[in-house]
């Protein structure tokens, strides 16, 4: 192998290592059997959620995972492998990929990493069923608004009753 080839591969390992370190989650999938149309649709859904999916050689992923402290992930790097990285929402890749796999049997989730910990396939599937960050924030906002809304209704009812008594 030439020195240039080794240097290119070493640079790719460094890039993937950095991507793993700055990501809050990375989900590994086997995409074998997906049509070009399906892959394009999947990439669009992921991109819209701020998730980057990349096909990476297994040897590069093994070396990068070891350098990033995720050596326990090495058993999922077999066969055709694509990795979906998210730097913001730890649930987004799992949720999108699991939902897509429901309609595309060829897509197989393998495992990954979530918030600095290696996650099994079962854990990834659990994350896929969790509400997204936006859904959780909306729920919290509704919970915080409920007492204020109830007080406003009570004040309005007392005011209307006072108007009826005055008439």
């Amino acid at each position: 192998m030439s020195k240039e080839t080794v240097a290119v591969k070493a640079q790719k390992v460094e890039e993937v290592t950095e991507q793993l370190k700055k990501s809050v989650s990375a989900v590994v999938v086997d995409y074998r059997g997906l049509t070009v149309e399906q892959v394009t649709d999947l990439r669009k859904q992921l991109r819209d959620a701020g998730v980057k999916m990349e096909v990476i050689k297994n040897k590069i992923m093994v070396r990068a995972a070891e350098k990033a402290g995720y050596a326990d992930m090495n058993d999922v790097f077999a066969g055709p492998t694509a990795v979906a990285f998210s730097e913001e929402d730890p649930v987004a890749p799992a949720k999108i990929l699991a939902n897509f796999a429901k309609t595309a049997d060829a897509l197989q989730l393998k495992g990954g990493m979530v918030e600095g910990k290696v996650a099994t396939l079962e854990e990834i599937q659990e994350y896929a069923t969790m509400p997204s960050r936006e859904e959780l924030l909306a729920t919290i906002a509704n919970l915080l608004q409920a007492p204020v809304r109830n007080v406003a209704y009570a004040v309005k009812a007392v005011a209307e009753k006072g108007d009826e008594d005055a008439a």
Side-chain angles (χ1 to χ4, degrees), residues 53-136:
M53 186 170 92
E54 189 174 349
V55 175
I56 304 170
K57 290 186 177 231
N58 290 326
K59 283 191 176 193
I60 290 174
M61 280 305 307
V62 167
R63 290 184 178 130
E66 287 173 356
K67 286 182 92 172
Y70 301 114
D72 292 343
M73 285 177 58
N74 288 349
D75 59 332
V76 299
F77 302 127
T81 300
V83 184
F85 299 100
S86 176
E87 295 179 16
E88 298 172 11
D89 187 352
V91 177
K95 186 177 275 301
I96 293 168
L97 290 167
N99 285 338
F100 195 86
K102 289 177 185 174
T103 59
D105 294 334
L107 184 70
Q108 300 293 317
L109 279 72
K110 294 179 168 184
M113 172 277 294
V114 178
E115 293 188 334
K117 295 182 182 172
V118 174
T120 64
L121 174 60
E122 293 77 23
E123 291 170 327
I124 295 292
Q125 290 172 336
E126 283 180 35
Y127 281 113
T129 61
M130 295 175 99
S132 69
R133 182 176 188 273
E134 289 75 25
E135 292 168 336
L136 288 173

